[in-house]
């Protein structure tokens, strides 16, 4: 007998949003009845700057207000934190020279940033941005949003992907899928309307570069190969111009502003403005005013292109490698799609055109196309879109360290994911209970040249003569590009326990702790906001009372009435600095009560004088 | 025949239960998963068509709203499908897969020995490579020539391999497999040579 089955696949599609968590800006989009749409923030802006500022009260500013705080409170504000996701301190020495990151002293495999008196990991900071996007989506859609697709650079490694997923969890989002940014862009372009073809997606964002080559056929988007550089983008162009500005200013003003946060931020804004203008006009000014002093420098497109030529060139080698890996020639590329704000630069467009011998698509806004694609993928997962399917690849080869520090590759780069490989491990010594497997990502031969991903400890192996145990280990890269490892004792068929020690990033327990902490902080944030609001109200009434004491009406009160007011003021002042907003409000109400008569008298006097006034 | 459906207990013979349509644990054999006869000569377009069609039914994107068990089966089945597609669409890996299943050892062993008929050519090639390493660029033309020669050999081998594939598909004889294994070793040896020459020429350039 077959029990009655309910096909849950036919349930009404549930809401899943698509999020582009960018280095410079982040966006959230959703699938409308017919097409993906960007959800604007409460301020109407479609882009939320990926900037977070923590107020002394514990509250967080995100987006445009936080961008302002870069000038006023740089020590509690951070931007471009995506550059630190899933990385260790020794990885980011180059970034530290260029970005004002304040690394907390106990940072090791996980970077911790000092923001005011708080210490936060990059996923926690990204979680603030995600929470803001979640809030924007909830306000816009009028319903709770708990599920999301988040995009990542195609060339992100396992740790960087895991860190992004952790950020989602900390923000209270169930991350249904991580999608590669160039692939998402291809989805947004609806290029599948053509029957068949080969498409290259060139994605140069604020901090990352990706190139992906896809084959499209009947709604299937099959990624043939991907390549990139997770530390190459518009930020590098900005930093080049900032260096020039700092040197100019040193000779013109005789002052080194490189350690001056405020001046440096102003300069950063000035060069970004100039950079953006140069995409549309032949020359412009880098224009800075700081405490009455001026710095101006004329820059034309020719000079600009000379300055950034090597940065643009750095994108070409990954493109050529990607063509080789995809097994296609430039002539076979039917279309090229440009993604990321930096592809507005004419030099970048020319380089792409020359390499792929095709005029690139630019009809969609390069800042928005990834988020739109994420919404389409969200639609695929929720069942709202059923004619498209994405088959993506893993960007880096996965291997294990063998004797002599040599890497034995198990899953090659550009393998379609999910992908798996199985290896059998045994012991070297009689009675050995543990086997340690070191897993790495990268293309090099030696373990020390690859990126350590994690160490897996096969525990509680049955004590047997050396070489007798046979532990079958399965390495599975899932559809998010994240590694899962399971092990089985071949002799007994029993599941073998595996302990995971990620080399970079948080353990599962640490993420759980961060989630709890963030909930506590959310409560704390809420409490401190209530206290702050109560104090503002107290300030208002105390100021009003102080002012009223100069009014004739105050002297018309009886001594008892005046004493009652003084008493209530003192009581309010006593509780003013407490953390109990209810107590503060109680005293405010008391003060309100005892000043009622005073307020009435003052009002009458005011009306009388107003009436008098009309007679004049 | 598969074991009964884990979900409703019915018997079936596919990736999905005939009765309740729940996804099942995928078969281990790539040919079985693709629903193709165990043959060495494969129509690559048909293989691709099946790969896309199965992806459309098995991919984890279609199972995000299902139970954890179905999600796991979908991921396992799709990994198996992708792994299988990588093996089956490449004639060399496909042949190695069949060899391995037939109990032949596959891998690097046997690929280091110089095929006897190539002894002289390989000796000369190694000499030229040494000279190039020593900075003598006059050997470059002869290296280019050697590369062209070996690439021609590779094409001949591929034709030989295709013929052997057809023969095995027709007869199913084990000694054909043994011959295929010998051809594969020879092929691997020559393609390693070509790579070596390419790397040396690139370095010299």
């Amino acid at each position: 007998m077959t029990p009655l089955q309910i096909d849950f696949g036919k349930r009404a599609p549930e809401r899943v949003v698509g999020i582009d968590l960018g280095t410079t800006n982040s966006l959230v989009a959703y699938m409308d009845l017919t097409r993906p749409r960007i959800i604007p923030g409460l301020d109407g802006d479609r882009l939320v700057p990926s900037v977070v500022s923590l107020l002394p009260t514990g509250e967080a500013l995100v987006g445009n207000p936080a961008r302002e705080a870069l000038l006023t409170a740089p020590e509690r504000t951070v931007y471009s934190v995506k550059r630190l996701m899933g990385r260790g301190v020794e990885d980011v020495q180059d970034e530290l020279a260029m970005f004002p990151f304040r690394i907390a002293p106990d940072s090791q495999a996980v970077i911790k940033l000092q923001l005011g008196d708080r210490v936060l990991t990059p996923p926690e900071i990204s979680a603030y941005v995600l929470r803001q996007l979640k809030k924007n989506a909830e306000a816009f859609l009028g319903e709770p949003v708990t599920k999301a697709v988040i995009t990542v650079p195609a060339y992100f490694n396992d740790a960087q992907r895991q860190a992004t997923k952790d950020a989602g969890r900390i923000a209270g989002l169930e991350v249904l899928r991580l999608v590669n940014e160039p692939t998402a862009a291809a989805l947004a372009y609806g290029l599948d309307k053509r029957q068949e073809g080969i498409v290259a997606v060139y994605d140069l964002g604020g901090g990352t570069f990706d190139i992906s080559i896809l084959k499209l056929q009947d709604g299937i988007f099959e990624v043939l190969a991907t390549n990139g550089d997770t530390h190459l983008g518009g930020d590098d162009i900005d930093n080049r111009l900032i260096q020039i500005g700092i040197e100019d200013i040193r000779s013109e003003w005789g002052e080194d502003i490189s350690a001056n946060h405020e001046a440096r931020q102003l300069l950063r804004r000035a060069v970004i403005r100039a950079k953006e203008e140069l995409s549309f006009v032949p020359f412009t000014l880098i224009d800075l005013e700081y405490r009455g002093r001026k710095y101006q420098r004329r820059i034309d497109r020719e000079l600009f292109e000379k300055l950034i030529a090597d940065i643009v060139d750095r994108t070409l080698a990954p493109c050529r490698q990607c063509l080789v890996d995809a097994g296609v020639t430039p002539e076979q590329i039917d279309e090229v799609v440009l993604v990321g704000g930096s592809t507005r630069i004419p030099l970048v467009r020319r380089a792409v055109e020359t390499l792929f011998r095709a005029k690139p698509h630019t009809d969609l806004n390069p800042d928005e196309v990834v988020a739109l694609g994420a919404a389409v993928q969200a639609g695929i997962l929720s069942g709202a879109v059923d004619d498209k399917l994405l088959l993506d690849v893993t960007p880096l080869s996965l291997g294990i360290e063998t004797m002599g520090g040599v890497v034995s590759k198990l899953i090659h780069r550009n393998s379609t994911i999910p992908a798996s490989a199985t290896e059998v491990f045994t012991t070297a010594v009689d009675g050995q209970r543990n086997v340690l497997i070191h897993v790495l990502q990268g293309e090099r031969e030696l373990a020390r040249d690859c990126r350590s991903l994690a160490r897996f400890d096969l525990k509680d192996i049955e004590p047997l003569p050396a070489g007798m145990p046979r532990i079958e280990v399965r390495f599975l890269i899932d559809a998010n590009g994240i590694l899962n490892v399971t092990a089985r004792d071949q002799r007994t068929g029993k599941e073998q326990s595996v302990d995971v020690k990620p080399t970079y990033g948080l353990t599962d327990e640490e993420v759980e702790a961060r989630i709890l902490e963030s909930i506590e902080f959310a409560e704390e944030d809420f409490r401190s906001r209530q206290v702050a609001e109560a104090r503002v109200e107290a300030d208002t009434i105390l100021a009003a009372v102080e002012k009223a004491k100069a009014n004739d009406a105050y002297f018309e009160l009886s001594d008892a009435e005046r004493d009652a007011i003084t008493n209530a003021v003192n009581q309010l002042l006593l509780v003013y600095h407490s953390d109990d907003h209810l107590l503060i409000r109680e005293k405010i109400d008391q003060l309100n009560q005892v000043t009622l008569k005073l307020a009435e008298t003052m009002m009458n006097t005011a009306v009388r004088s107003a009436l008098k006034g009309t007679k004049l | 025949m598969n074991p009964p459906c884990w979900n409703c207990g019915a018997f079936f013979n596919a990736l999905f239960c005939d009765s309740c349509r729940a996804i099942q644990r995928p078969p281990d054999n790539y040919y079985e998963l693709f629903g193709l006869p165990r043959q060495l000569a494969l129509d690559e377009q048909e293989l691709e068509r099946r790969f896309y069609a199965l992806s459309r039914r098995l991919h984890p994107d279609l199972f995000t709203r299902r139970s954890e068990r179905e999600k796991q089966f979908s991921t396992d089945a799709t990994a198996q499908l992708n792994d299988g597609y990588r093996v089956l669409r490449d004639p060399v890996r496909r042949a190695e897969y069949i060899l391995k299943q037939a109990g032949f050892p596959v891998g690097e062993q046997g690929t280091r020995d110089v095929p006897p008929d190539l002894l002289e050519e390989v000796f000369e090639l190694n000499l030229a490579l040494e000279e190039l390493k020593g900075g003598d660029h006059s050997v470059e033309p002869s290296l280019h020539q050697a590369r062209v020669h070996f690439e021609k050999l590779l094409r001949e081998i591929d034709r030989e391999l295709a013929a052997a594939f057809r023969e095995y598909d027709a007869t199913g004889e084990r000694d054909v497999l043994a011959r295929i294994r010998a051809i594969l070793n020879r092929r691997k040896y020559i393609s390693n040579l070509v790579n070596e020459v390419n790397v040396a020429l690139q370095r010299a350039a």
Side-chain angles (χ1 to χ4, degrees), chain B residues 90-93 95-96 110-111 113 115 118 150-151 153-162 165 179-195:
Chain B
D90 174 8
V92 171
R93 297 179 70 180
E96 285 175 345
T111 62
D113 310 327
L118 294 178
F150 284 121
E151 279 172 346
L153 272 184
L154 277 182
R155 284 193 295 276
E156 276 167 25
I157 289 171
D158 284 346
R159 276 195 294 276
E160 202 184 332
L161 204 55
F165 281 5
R179 204 164 76 229
I180 288 174
R181 177 162 176 264
I183 300 172
L184 285 180
N185 283 348
R186 185 180 158 85
R187 192 189 187 284
K188 211 173 254 171
Y189 185 85
I190 296 175
S191 86
N192 282 344
L193 273 187
V194 172
N195 282 342

Side-chain angles (χ1 to χ4, degrees), chain A residues 74-207:
Chain A
E75 73 289 348
R76 351 181 117 261
T77 311
V78 62
Y79 67 96
S80 287
V81 77
K82 188 174 178 180
R83 286 185 169 248
L84 305 182
M85 293 286 269
R87 310 189 83 211
V89 168
E90 78 276 21
D91 298 330
V92 298
Q93 292 308 312
D94 291 352
E95 337 277 310
L96 295 185
M98 303 307 267
F99 295 88
F101 293 129
R102 283 164 305 280
I103 305 285
D106 65 332
S107 299
Q108 281 301 324
V110 181
I111 292 172
K112 291 169 187 156
L113 292 178
Q114 190 82 45
L115 285 191
D117 51 5
R118 298 260 318 264
V119 172
L120 294 171
T121 59
E124 288 170 278
I125 295 167
S126 295
Y128 278 110
V129 178
L130 291 173
R131 254 185 236 119
Q132 183 64 46
L133 296 172
K134 180 176 187 273
K135 225 185 278 174
N136 290 354
E138 287 173 340
F140 183 87
L141 299 167
E143 60 187 47
V145 170
T146 58
K147 292 179 177 163
V149 166
I150 302 180
T151 63
V152 290
Y155 216 57
F156 252 20
N157 66 28
D158 188 276
Q160 292 168 307
R161 285 168 195 270
Q162 192 63 58
T164 307
K165 220 178 159 195
D166 292 344
R169 280 172 68 194
I170 295 168
L173 286 168
E174 188 187 341
V175 182
L176 295 187
R177 177 79 77 247
L178 298 176
V179 186
N180 293 332
E181 286 158 11
T183 326
L187 270 182
Y189 258 96
L191 293 165
D192 56 317
K193 288 192 184 74
R194 58 178 302 140
Q195 282 292 308
E196 230 180 282
I198 308 277
V199 177
V201 183
Y202 178 103
D203 179 354
L204 187 59

Side-chain angles (χ1 to χ4, degrees), chain A residues 289-361:
Chain A
E289 196 180 323
Y290 175 63
R291 301 208 173 146
R293 275 190 287 188
K294 275 190 174 216
Y295 163 62
Q296 283 192 330
R297 184 195 173 108
R298 196 189 120 111
I299 180 166
D300 59 22
R301 197 182 282 171
E302 203 188 327
L303 174 66
F304 176 67
E305 292 186 348
K306 247 183 229 155
L307 286 172
I308 65 164
D310 65 309
I311 295 174
V312 177
D313 272 353
R314 272 172 65 197
T315 67
L316 298 181
C319 290
R320 292 195 191 100
Q321 185 62 52
C322 193
L323 282 165
V324 171
D325 289 350
V328 298
T329 61
E331 289 77 14
Q332 286 174 291
I333 304 281
D334 297 300
E335 323 225 13
V336 181
V337 172
L338 293 182
V339 186
S342 303
T343 60
R344 289 198 178 91
I345 297 171
L347 179 69
V348 172
R349 293 197 174 180
R350 286 206 306 277
V352 174
E353 255 182 83
T354 313
L355 182 66
F356 293 108
R357 287 156 219 174
K359 194 130 188 96
H361 273 278

